[in-house]
Amino acid sequence: MGKFVGKAVKRREDARFLKGAGTYTDDIKLPKMAHTAFVRSPYAHAKVLSIDIDEAKKSDGVVAIYTGNDPCGEFGVPCGWQVDFKNGETMREPQHPLLVKDKIKHVGEAVAIVVAETLEQARDAAELVMVDYEELPAVTDPKKAMEDGAPLVHDQWNDNAAFDWCIGNDRAEVEAALENAHHVTEMEYRNHRVAPNAIEPRSYIADYDVNADKWTLYTSTQNPHLIRLLLCAFVLGIPEHKVRVVSKDVGGGFGSKIYHYTEEALLTWISREIGRPVKWTSDRSEAFMTDAHGRDHVVKSKMGFDKDGKIVAHLTDEYCAMGAYLSTFAPAVPTYLHGTLFQGVYTTPLIHLNVIAPFTHTVVVDAYRGAGRPEATYLLERIISKAAKEMNMDPAEIRYKNFIPPFDGVEQAGYQTQVALQYDSGDYHGVLKRGLEMLGYDDFRKEQEEARKNGKLLGVGLSTYIEGCGIAPSAVVGALGARAGLYEVGHVRVQPTGKVSVFTGAHSHGQGHETVFAQFVADKLGIAMDDVEIEHGDTDQVAFGMGTYGSRSLAVGGSAIIKSIDKIIEKGAKIAAHKLEAAEEDLEYDEGKWTVKGTDKSISFGDVSLTAYVPHDYPEGLEPGLDFSSFYDPSNFTYPFGTHIAVVEVDSDTGKVDLKRFIACDDVGNVMNPMIVDGQIHGGVVQGVGQALLEEVVFDDAGQMINGSYMDYAMPRADDIPMIETDRTVTPCPHNPLGVKGAGEAGCIGSTPAVVNAVVDALSHLGVTDIQMPVTPQRVWKAMQN
């Protein structure tokens, strides 16, 4: 705790957002800027027989029309993660074309782009582009995609597998343990597909400056430097120093704005062709069809227990959809982000997970808030609750019995799992105990029994989760398939007047970086928050950074900034010692000044800063200036954890689920700003509840998304969510200087199984043991009838 750290400081960035003064990509207007509209396939799988653009070219305002037969059709967007088959076969990587010229792989793939003076003219001309298709059979279910005779997404291979991968102990050993187990609980279900739905749609403006021979790409991304790297080195072959990527304010991402999309590269190519800035902003229909979706796992799992309820083995087989192509991080989701969390918070001695990742005739699937960890947590927390019911144990009791013992990660070594990772610190007993206290668990069980006598169906669901965050270190992720490092950069520039500019490779899309980063910088330097400015999102200003996702901004990005501040304080001490005529080791730095120990002789941070830039009276041999950059590559991931508890009431006549209470007791390590952490938890919980009760992307047999609009895709609204009750335990991360673990995804990880567990608990006396998500009134009503 400091003057600012640990305090609920209001977000500085909100002032401009509340006034409508934010700068989103779609707000940017450049001179002579042209606009675009895409011609997209109405079919999920089809041959492109011909494209006629003659009439469209005559339309008012048309600047140019491009198809896959133009040079841009030869370019394709790459994948950023390599996961090979378990037999050593190389992962299958089809090219993801900027414009399709021969064969469509999903509804919404672009076959042409119209460039015009206005958006309306571009859309009108796009209607005149005539495309002749030959529709082909499609497959959208990941398990069916691996059946014999399934339509092939990519003709160059004899089946639809992108890869077949496993992790954990020897499968035969796990199967033998299950054979000898006292009790085995089994589950089969689909962790269904969901759409990200950020408030701000994707938007891009590419501007080529012929005089400077340089491009500027304005893009609504979470990851400016990675976009530049992929665009230059792997798609268009442009020298990297010739491209500037700028991402100003971003209105939500949830992972969907990490990736390099085809439209970014295509517009960059077009801007040079036409010699003008060119813009595209997705509409909502395009967003449903082309933004990367999340989840979509078909799961079959067995968990074995001894007679005392201790887990002895866990075996799972999954089919995890990739969509039509491999998106930037897609292979990492069911493997590195999912498989490595299969230990959960339990002392499971034997684990085996096998993942088959098929291509399907759908838009790509990639990281969506939580990314692999919600899927792992859902399985673990549902199957252990189901096992408790089958073995006539209380769901809290079975968790306590199987928890990894408390450890601090400092005096005790981290906990080594069966699935590669070593946890850093945690007390899983303590966080469940606190959550149950918040609920009043014993009293609720009594209330539940009384309510049932009166026909009132109440249920409580528990979920105790762990997640891997602070995505890094580079050596580990490299071994797991990453094709990039996952360090972060922090550049701190002290001005002559003592004001501080911080440049970070992390990039905010709602997390409050401009506030939180300023809090700990101000505390560390002992200056006012108003004296600290945070800059991000511009590759010409910030050294190469890796962006924001995986709850990594503070743990990795913040730690890089701290390293630079330490260098500033260290150099400042040399200047201060010279000015105070004291030995450097006799100084201490606190509250913005260096003081000679045991005296009242001191010099302020501002005076040292001025001296650094006006070095008239200065240490001999010391360089002027006070400006440092640092790269931080952590030694391990961070491991936030927590307990989420849902209380529901089910209408016995209609099956409607009413969420009455939601309790989130999380441990995210040290907390910089409790108000912002609570906001992150709230947002994640709402998304997790949305998947549990409402949200689902639905395809028909032809590959059409039949609910691709807000008229049909049900997202949670304010009256679906009760006041979320939050609390925290604190076990600091032992291996980063801030002691933080990450909070951005926690709510989305623990909430979904808590809600479904609560619904099943409400109906358990009727013999209901499982319900497929989303838990709609129709599904609940059918379960009650059966």
Side-chain angles (χ1 to χ4, degrees):
M1 288 285 185
K3 184 177 180 181
F4 303 111
V5 168
K7 306 298 193 298
V9 177
K10 290 184 179 180
R11 293 181 7 145
R12 303 200 301 183
E13 47 269 78
D14 286 348
R16 69 176 183 273
F17 296 143
L18 291 171
K19 295 174 183 175
T23 304
Y24 300 94
T25 302
D26 192 56
D27 294 330
I28 297 170
K29 294 177 175 58
L30 302 179
K32 298 180 64 179
M33 185 168 69
H35 297 262
T36 61
F38 282 93
V39 179
R40 298 188 181 275
S41 169
Y43 301 108
H45 191 200
K47 292 180 181 178
V48 180
L49 303 179
S50 64
I51 305 175
D52 185 348
I53 62 173
D54 289 345
E55 285 301 313
K57 288 171 69 175
K58 300 173 187 176
S59 187
D60 290 346
V62 169
V63 175
I65 301 177
Y66 300 100
T67 72
N69 295 313
D70 291 299
C72 58
E74 300 303 317
F75 299 118
V77 172
C79 178
W81 205 279
Q82 171 78 43
V83 175
D84 289 333
F85 285 70
K86 61 191 177 189
N87 63 6
E89 180 184 345
T90 302
M91 179 179 80
R92 296 167 178 174
E93 295 185 68
Q95 186 185 54
H96 189 174
L98 306 190
L99 291 173
V100 176
K101 61 181 175 182
D102 49 11
K103 196 175 182 185
I104 296 298
K105 308 296 194 305
H106 69 86
V107 170
E109 268 208 285
V111 296
I113 183 171
V114 176
V115 185
E117 298 293 342
T118 69
L119 178 58
E120 293 74 15
Q121 289 172 333
R123 287 175 172 171
D124 288 345
E127 293 286 338
L128 299 176
V129 175
M130 305 304 295
V131 186
D132 188 13
Y133 300 96
E134 179 188 330
E135 188 176 7
L136 300 169
V139 62
T140 62
D141 181 285
K143 186 175 182 181
K144 291 180 179 178
M146 291 306 300
E147 293 176 356
D148 291 341
L152 292 177
V153 181
H154 299 283
D155 295 332
Q156 62 264 48
W157 297 296
N158 58 9
D159 63 39
N160 285 317
F163 57 85
D164 182 342
W165 175 91
C166 67
I167 195 171
N169 305 97
D170 179 72
R171 186 183 185 104
E173 187 180 2
V174 176
E175 288 175 335
L178 289 169
E179 285 288 329
N180 296 315
H182 173 76
H183 176 84
V184 176
T185 293
E186 300 186 34
M187 287 191 70
E188 290 189 47
Y189 64 91
R190 184 168 183 171
N191 198 311
H192 59 284
R193 182 183 287 239
V194 289
N197 288 307
I199 291 175
E200 178 203 16
R202 289 191 293 123
S203 183
Y204 312 124
I205 301 170
D207 181 17
Y208 175 69
D209 183 340
V210 65
N211 296 317
D213 187 28
K214 184 169 182 175
W215 288 260
T216 300
L217 174 65
Y218 300 93
T219 172
S220 54
T221 184
Q222 301 169 217
N223 212 348
H225 283 95
L226 185 65
I227 299 306
R228 186 183 67 177
L229 174 63
L230 293 173
L231 176 72
C232 294
F234 298 99
V235 184
L236 300 180
I238 302 170
E240 197 171 0
H241 65 285
K242 295 287 188 180
V243 175
R244 176 189 181 195
V245 175
V246 179
S247 182
K248 293 184 178 289
D249 293 322
V250 176
F254 315 122
S256 70
K257 293 176 183 171
I258 303 173
Y259 331 117
H260 183 28
Y261 287 92
T262 56
E263 293 91 351
E264 288 168 303
L266 183 58
L267 264 66
T268 302
W269 180 84
I270 289 172
S271 67
R272 183 175 183 178
E273 291 295 305
I274 66 173
R276 296 172 56 178
V278 59
K279 177 180 184 178
W280 173 76
T281 299
S282 170
D283 63 30
R284 286 297 171 187
S285 293
E286 286 180 299
F288 273 110
M289 291 190 295
T290 63
D291 289 3
H293 290 165
R295 319 297 188 235
D296 209 357
H297 295 193
V298 175
V299 182
K300 183 177 182 180
S301 187
K302 296 180 181 180
M303 184 174 279
F305 299 81
D306 66 17
K307 60 182 176 59
D308 297 320
K310 287 277 289 179
I311 302 169
V312 296
H314 182 201
L315 175 66
T316 298
D317 292 289
E318 298 193 25
Y319 295 89
C320 303
M322 292 289 99
Y325 303 98
L326 294 179
S327 180
T328 307
F329 287 129
V333 176
T335 56
Y336 147 66
L337 292 170
H338 178 59
T340 58
L341 267 297
F342 256 61
Q343 185 93 39
V345 291
Y346 305 115
T347 53
T348 308
L350 293 169
I351 300 170
H352 185 88
L353 167 68
N354 193 85
V355 169
I356 297 175
F359 295 110
T360 52
H361 289 109
T362 62
V363 69
V364 296
V365 177
D366 208 317
Y368 169 68
R369 197 171 194 169
R373 290 97 85 200
E375 297 92 314
T377 300
Y378 185 81
L379 171 57
L380 291 169
E381 295 308 294
R382 279 292 298 119
I383 202 167
I384 201 164
S385 287
K386 188 170 185 279
K389 183 65 178 176
E390 292 172 354
M391 292 189 287
N392 198 30
M393 295 178 68
D394 184 87
E397 177 193 0
I398 196 171
R399 285 173 168 82
Y400 281 131
K401 191 179 290 287
N402 285 285
F403 277 152
I404 294 165
F407 61 103
D408 61 19
V410 179
E411 294 181 0
Q412 302 155 286
Y415 185 85
Q416 180 59 54
T417 72
Q418 306 297 323
V419 280
L421 299 183
Q422 185 179 68
Y423 297 161
D424 54 6
S425 60
D427 180 0
Y428 315 120
H429 296 73
V431 78
L432 176 57
K433 180 182 178 183
R434 179 63 190 126
L436 295 175
E437 288 172 352
M438 293 170 69
L439 171 66
Y441 187 63
D442 293 338
D443 290 341
F444 174 82
R445 285 300 187 192
K446 294 173 185 176
E447 179 188 352
Q448 182 184 38
E449 285 302 313
E450 287 300 313
R452 282 178 178 169
K453 294 175 184 177
N454 300 314
K456 187 177 180 182
L457 304 180
L458 295 179
V460 62
L462 310 183
S463 170
T464 304
Y465 72 90
I466 190 168
E467 53 168 331
C469 292
I471 300 301
S474 296
V476 176
V477 297
L480 291 168
R483 287 169 166 166
L486 288 182
Y487 49 82
E488 197 48 82
V489 66
H491 179 189
V492 180
R493 178 180 301 153
V494 180
Q495 312 294 351
T497 55
K499 310 306 180 185
V500 177
S501 297
V502 177
F503 303 87
T504 174
H507 185 44
S508 178
H509 49 282
Q511 293 88 343
H513 291 173
E514 293 169 40
T515 302
V516 176
F517 287 13
Q519 284 181 257
F520 71 76
V521 170
D523 260 6
K524 182 80 172 174
L525 290 174
I527 60 178
M529 274 187 66
D530 286 345
D531 290 345
V532 181
E533 175 188 48
I534 308 297
E535 298 286 349
H536 57 95
D538 187 336
T539 60
D540 270 13
Q541 284 191 323
V542 181
F544 196 99
M546 292 307 298
T548 290
Y549 42 86
S551 303
R552 71 190 301 274
S553 295
L554 264 178
V556 189
S559 295
I561 294 169
I562 288 292
K563 285 186 67 176
S564 290
I565 291 174
D566 287 341
K567 294 174 184 177
I568 283 167
I569 293 173
E570 181 182 354
K571 183 175 181 179
K574 298 181 186 303
I575 301 170
H578 177 81
K579 297 291 286 185
L580 293 170
E581 299 180 336
E584 189 179 334
E585 57 270 21
D586 290 337
L587 300 184
E588 57 185 5
Y589 185 77
D590 188 40
E591 295 186 353
K593 60 185 177 182
W594 286 268
T595 302
V596 180
K597 296 174 186 176
T599 76
D600 59 359
K601 292 178 61 178
S602 65
I603 186 171
S604 72
F605 179 75
D607 287 339
V608 167
S609 302
L610 184 61
T611 302
Y613 290 96
V614 187
H616 298 161
D617 180 13
Y618 203 66
E620 185 176 351
L622 188 66
E623 292 181 359
L626 211 49
D627 189 329
F628 286 98
S629 188
S630 302
F631 288 82
Y632 177 72
D633 201 346
S635 60
N636 194 4
F637 308 97
T638 62
Y639 298 93
F641 60 93
T643 288
H644 287 187
I645 302 175
V647 175
V648 302
E649 181 178 347
V650 177
D651 189 302
S652 58
D653 293 324
T654 66
K656 183 180 183 298
V657 176
D658 184 11
L659 184 60
K660 307 296 289 185
R661 291 182 69 185
F662 197 94
I663 292 165
C665 184
D666 301 281
D667 195 315
V668 299
N670 290 336
V671 173
M672 301 290 105
N673 187 319
M675 180 172 62
I676 287 179
V677 168
D678 282 347
Q680 290 286 300
I681 298 297
H682 289 181
V685 166
V686 171
Q687 287 182 276
V689 171
Q691 183 180 8
L693 297 179
L694 297 161
E695 298 183 50
E696 181 180 20
V697 171
V698 181
F699 293 101
D700 66 13
D701 291 340
Q704 296 289 333
M705 184 179 175
I706 62 175
N707 61 337
S709 77
Y710 288 154
M711 293 294 289
D712 301 301
Y713 187 91
M715 289 194 297
R717 290 172 167 79
D719 60 352
D720 294 312
I721 308 295
M723 181 62 68
I724 297 168
E725 304 164 53
T726 61
D727 198 5
R728 278 179 282 278
T729 62
V730 178
T731 54
C733 175
H735 60 75
N736 69 55
L738 291 169
V740 295
K741 293 191 171 188
E745 294 165 292
C748 204
I749 291 169
S751 55
T752 308
V755 172
V756 178
N757 280 338
V759 175
V760 172
D761 182 65
L763 307 178
S764 61
H765 64 298
L766 302 175
V768 175
T769 62
D770 193 24
I771 300 177
Q772 172 62 39
M773 293 191 293
V775 185
T776 60
Q778 182 186 38
R779 284 179 171 150
V780 175
W781 187 85
K782 284 184 176 179
M784 290 191 292
Q785 307 317 305
N786 292 334

